[in-house]
Amino acid sequence: MPMWAGGVGSPRRGMAPAPTDDLFARKLRQPSRPPLTPHTFEPRPARGPLLRSGSDAGEVRPPTPASPRARAHSHEDASRPAATPTRLFADPLALLGLPAEEPEPTFPPVLEPRWFAHYDVQSLLFDWAPRPRGTGSHTEASPGTLAVAEDQTVTSDLLLGAPGFVSELGGEGELGLGGPVSPPVPPALPNAAVSVLEEPQTRTTAYSLEHADLGAGYYRKYFYGKEHQNFFGLDEALGPVAVSLRREEREGSGGGTLHTYRVIVRTTQLRTLRGTISEDALPPGPPRGLSPKKLLEHVAPRLSPTCLRLGSASPKVPRTLLTLDEQVLSFQRKVGILYCRAGQGSEEEMYNNQEAGAAFMQFLTLLGDVVRLKGFESYRAQLDTKTDSTGTHSLYTTYQDHEIMFHVSTMLPYTPNNQQQLLRKRHIGNDIVTIVFQEPGSKPFCPTTIRSHFQHVFLVVRAHAPCTPHTSYRVAVSRTQDTPAFGPALPRGGGPFAANADFRAFLLAKALNGEQAAGHARQFHAMATRTRQQYLQDLATNEVTTTSLDSASRFGLPSLGGRRRATPRGPGAELQAAGALMWGVRAAPGARVAAGAETGGPEGAEVPCLLGISAETLVLVAPRDGRVVFNCACRDVLAWTFSEHQLDLYHGRGEAITLRLDGAPGQAVGEVVARLQLVSRGCETRELALPRDGQGRLGFEVDAEGFITHVERFTFAETTGLRPGARLLRVCGQTLPKLGPEAAAQMLRSAPKVCVTVLPPDESGRPRRSFSELYTLSLKEPSRRGVPEPVQEEAIKVVLLPPTKQLLHFCLQDSSGPPPGPGDLTEERTEFLHSHNSLSPRSSLSDEAPVLPNTTPDLLLVTTANPSAPGTGRETPPSQDHSGSPSSHEDPSDSAPELRASILPRTLSLRNSISKIMSEAGSETLEDEWRSISEIASTCNTILESLSREGQPIPESGDPKGAPKCDSEPEPGSLSEKVSHLESMLKKLQEDLQREKADRAALEEEVRSLRHNNQRLLAESENAATRLLLASRQLGSPTADLA
């Protein structure tokens, strides 16, 4: 009988069971029945065994004395007291195939110390007492995954289900909080691709690489080549351990010096504790910092300090630590490719295909480059590049900084009269990922036909209409049960994919992610653990000194001037760390769940998670299987609603998650809210109950995105505080993205009582949007797409794109006017394009900021005109004589629109260039340069105002009386000269600014050189002081201890 563990595909998370006439089943379904213990073989810590006798089910009774017959068959000593039975029976509901009751999820424990800022995701999962590994760190029965029993029975014309394997045929989606979710779009990252939390991790390609421990470079980046201390030892409970410590100082925002400690703790488990802790979160110490013993007593209380010894000064130690940490990072991969002809399906048939067909060669040409092995100098993947013993050619390519060598079955040596083809199988059989290419008409692939201990992932690719202009491919995936799911997610039906570069990128990303995910399988996990234990054992045995942790020196010697410790930053200083602070929560997607309320479906089910909030990212990690079930950038956080133990978080387009926290009422929730206020631009929401007036109206208007566009005066909506620019997040308890525009509008029209959750506008009155929304809107800018607007009028005139025209009016309006409404989105998008790469005060916690390509594009104007009469030249200057032209009888006033068409783009380009100069110029720019910039800007405004007054529609008859002309309007000739003069002034100003930048760069380089020399002199003085201290100890003089 299969057992489920609460996944989405399990019966307990499915629909309610159908009514039955079975009295026993109806008896067990009674709501008053006490909860039964799920199927387990572990002893219950507090309660005794359950009894099934009548109404006493669940009652704890003292153990009854055994019968004489039972004592006669007992192998235990009669004098030993009877032990509590350790094996409990399974839940009867589960044995009957009915939904079993799941125990109330608990809050996952949080590592001490409380304010340790974790560097990456796997550091959040570090455990001082790891549980024994059973069926693998990633099981298919975990929350949010599909049941194994269902996956095994799924088959298609490409792939057959098999025991021990999980099939993916398309449409599964990404594993998220509460079940499969749709794959994210850039710039959002897939959950499995999130790794580093302290630093920004941006998505630059359509397909992200997943399951990569990018935090493994922590030691190389922050310790290697810098002053730090390493300690090694053999702990009685943890085994061999290696600890690296380093003290850092940096300038704070208030001018003081901030000190932090970077810590790495390595044990035999594959998860490493990496992160920082602020000196303000530690007990008070001397000005030069705490001793390593005091620091580890606070950071690693479960680590025995007596077992640690200071590492030797041999250069082997840092190199070994680099190898130990970065053994999971590999940028060279090998992938096998099997060729399956029409009518074939077995392993022997695929290995014995001697020649490649035309469809297979077309696929190989799309995938990579055929290279000559002899003399090949790049990654060779155990192929012979000297004597051609493994074939003369192979397939090689690169993708996202990875080198990939393919072991192609038809390119490896063929042995006649040998069904096994060992020369081919010795390479492909040792590859973790194998691509099975099927010609049209091939039999479905079954993974059990491949006999190998290393091949864990199979990517089945079938060609359709090969060697034609309409060639396409379908894809299916088969992976072992202990291999976690990996992306990119397959579309429904597995395709079809066109034979282009996008399909190549998809398949290569799928292969790389599959090999990385297979590293979590039991076999490879055990191999990596043994290798790690050997490295740690060697360091703890052969690379230590006799200096214990008690006698180890502090982190560096004080300078001659006596460096003083900075004053504390006050309460809440520990919340300002750049790494991820952690809380234990129970999370649910979207739905609000009251305390103690029952949840009726997978969307409302709470999942125990670890909440990590860094200066860049917010993540939810399920400690049960180590998966990231939710992630979003802190700049995507819109708002939050909180109570004593619950917090609703809104992000992205208005999606919501519900977090429930443990502890004293309001304490943990207050810490999370304070952290969000520091790292995001979100704010608290407002809950409003909106009654209807006598005519049944609510008194406000809202657009399809949920932004309030108009609020009527003297209505209940205005009285409750609803303002234009606000954003509706929930309507009657449901989020807007889940409802949709039509359902939300219907609910607002028909609901008798409307309760809404409102996000107030920002300080300037504009609606609040997340970074991902602004990014999407910026991609929709016509200037970014380069699509001109078609001509709509007959007269020759300047046709502005709508965003540019709105921007022109925005630049000319009075600054004291009303704030723009939610409909004026052009200014918001333009501001995002020009300023989203600048570091805001709220995001000053990190030294690096994400930068997108082409962050400051020029605003483009499109000038279009109808075709002129025959013989009329479009590029003829207005002042040129048209005596020989058929249109010479036209009034000269008709040349004004053409003049504006030539001057307006140049003027706006000047204005944009001035804006760039003003944004790039620093505070040290000379006063006369600023005066020149302001003069040019004012002149540009004057020209724009003149052109705006001239921009009235001109009658088609060309009658000058139809277009009134202002007397103070400058003449066309003078206006053109003024623009030319401005261009020359701007060119000179840009040259001066470039020279100023070069001088400033030279000055900064000189300052860096002086700092480097100062550090070198300081290091020499510290070495001299150390030698003096050692000499005084050897001579036995009563010199004061300088340490």
Side-chain angles (χ1 to χ4, degrees), residues 109-112 118 121-130 238 241 265-274 299-300 532 582 610:
V110 179
L111 285 179
E112 295 294 337
H118 297 267
V121 169
Q122 61 90 38
S123 179
L124 296 173
L125 298 167
F126 181 82
D127 193 358
W128 291 104
L238 302 174
V241 295
V265 179
R266 310 171 185 87
T267 62
T268 53
Q269 63 167 314
L270 296 184
R271 291 165 180 165
T272 304
L273 182 66
R274 308 184 186 106
V299 174
R532 184 181 181 90
M582 184 168 57
L610 294 173

Side-chain angles (χ1 to χ4, degrees), residues 690-693 695-700 711-712 715-718 722 747-749 751-754 756:
L690 303 177
R692 299 183 184 273
D693 58 10
Q695 300 179 358
R697 298 181 304 175
L698 293 175
F700 67 91
V711 179
E712 297 181 5
T715 57
F716 292 112
E718 185 186 29
L722 196 62
M747 188 172 293
L748 289 174
R749 284 193 297 263
K753 184 179 180 180
V754 178
V756 296

Side-chain angles (χ1 to χ4, degrees), residues 762-840:
D762 60 9
E763 295 80 2
S764 61
R766 293 181 180 177
R768 296 179 185 266
R769 292 180 180 269
S770 64
F771 174 82
S772 58
E773 289 181 303
L774 294 176
Y775 179 83
T776 304
L777 289 175
S778 69
L779 295 180
K780 295 179 181 179
E781 280 282 349
S783 59
R784 304 270 293 193
R785 297 195 308 261
V787 180
E789 185 172 294
V791 179
Q792 299 179 356
E793 296 185 8
E794 295 292 333
I796 302 176
K797 59 177 293 185
V798 178
V799 180
L800 298 182
L801 294 176
T804 311
K805 190 172 183 180
Q806 294 179 14
L807 179 63
L808 177 59
H809 294 328
F810 175 74
C811 294
L812 296 179
Q813 69 179 3
D814 188 10
S815 59
S816 61
D824 299 335
L825 302 179
T826 306
E827 296 85 1
E828 187 174 346
R829 294 197 295 267
T830 305
E831 178 185 358
F832 164 74
L833 289 174
H834 285 272
S835 63
H836 74 277
N837 61 333
S838 61
L839 197 61
S840 62

Side-chain angles (χ1 to χ4, degrees), residues 812 900 940-951 968-970 975 978:
L812 296 179
R900 290 195 299 270
C940 286
N941 282 333
T942 303
I943 298 175
L944 288 175
E945 292 175 2
S946 302
L947 294 176
S948 177
R949 287 193 296 269
E950 292 181 357
S968 60
E969 179 183 358
L975 190 60
K978 186 177 295 186

Side-chain angles (χ1 to χ4, degrees), residues 690-773:
L690 303 177
R692 299 183 184 273
D693 58 10
Q695 300 179 358
R697 298 181 304 175
L698 293 175
F700 67 91
E701 297 178 2
V702 61
D703 62 7
E705 294 181 291
F707 294 107
I708 305 298
T709 58
H710 176 69
V711 179
E712 297 181 5
R713 299 296 304 274
F714 311 112
T715 57
F716 292 112
E718 185 186 29
T719 305
T720 55
L722 196 62
R723 295 291 181 266
R727 181 173 187 171
L728 297 184
L729 297 176
R730 286 186 189 268
V731 177
C732 299
Q734 300 188 42
T735 58
L736 254 67
K738 183 178 180 181
L739 278 175
E742 297 181 358
Q746 181 64 25
M747 188 172 293
L748 289 174
R749 284 193 297 263
S750 60
K753 184 179 180 180
V754 178
C755 298
V756 296
T757 302
V758 178
L759 173 61
D762 60 9
E763 295 80 2
S764 61
R766 293 181 180 177
R768 296 179 185 266
R769 292 180 180 269
S770 64
F771 174 82
S772 58
E773 289 181 303

Side-chain angles (χ1 to χ4, degrees), residues 133 191 201 208 269 284 344 366 426 472 518 818 911 918 928:
R133 187 180 179 90
N191 289 329
Q201 187 178 350
S208 301
Q269 63 167 314
Q344 296 181 349
L366 175 66
R426 60 176 288 205
S472 62
R911 184 180 180 87
M918 296 179 70
D928 55 350

Side-chain angles (χ1 to χ4, degrees), residues 198-348:
E198 183 176 325
E199 302 164 0
Q201 187 178 350
T202 57
R203 181 175 179 178
T204 57
T205 59
Y207 305 112
S208 301
L209 299 185
E210 303 174 355
H211 297 284
D213 184 12
L214 302 180
Y218 188 64
Y219 181 80
R220 178 184 295 274
K221 186 171 184 179
Y222 294 103
F223 290 82
Y224 188 73
K226 302 177 177 64
E227 181 183 0
H228 66 283
Q229 293 178 330
N230 298 314
F231 295 90
F232 311 119
L234 297 173
D235 189 87
E236 295 181 357
L238 302 174
V241 295
V243 180
S244 300
L245 306 174
R246 179 170 179 258
R247 189 186 188 218
E248 285 184 345
E249 64 177 29
R250 59 185 178 88
E251 296 295 329
S253 57
T257 302
L258 306 180
H259 293 93
T260 57
Y261 295 93
R262 291 197 178 270
V263 181
I264 303 179
V265 179
R266 310 171 185 87
T267 62
T268 53
Q269 63 167 314
L270 296 184
R271 291 165 180 165
T272 304
L273 182 66
R274 308 184 186 106
T276 60
I277 187 168
S278 174
E279 202 168 66
D280 295 321
L282 297 172
R288 54 188 173 179
L290 296 174
S291 64
K293 180 181 179 182
K294 293 293 183 182
L295 178 61
L296 287 180
E297 285 178 354
H298 189 77
V299 174
R302 298 193 184 184
L303 183 61
S304 175
T306 58
C307 71
L308 295 179
R309 295 292 183 271
L310 182 66
S312 65
S314 170
K316 177 186 175 182
V317 172
R319 290 199 301 266
T320 304
L321 290 176
L322 278 180
T323 305
L324 174 64
D325 289 349
E326 298 179 359
Q327 64 174 336
V328 296
L329 293 179
S330 176
F331 296 94
Q332 295 175 338
R333 302 291 184 182
K334 52 190 181 73
V335 178
I337 301 181
L338 286 175
Y339 175 40
C340 183
R341 290 183 179 272
Q344 296 181 349
S346 66
E347 179 185 24
E348 288 77 11

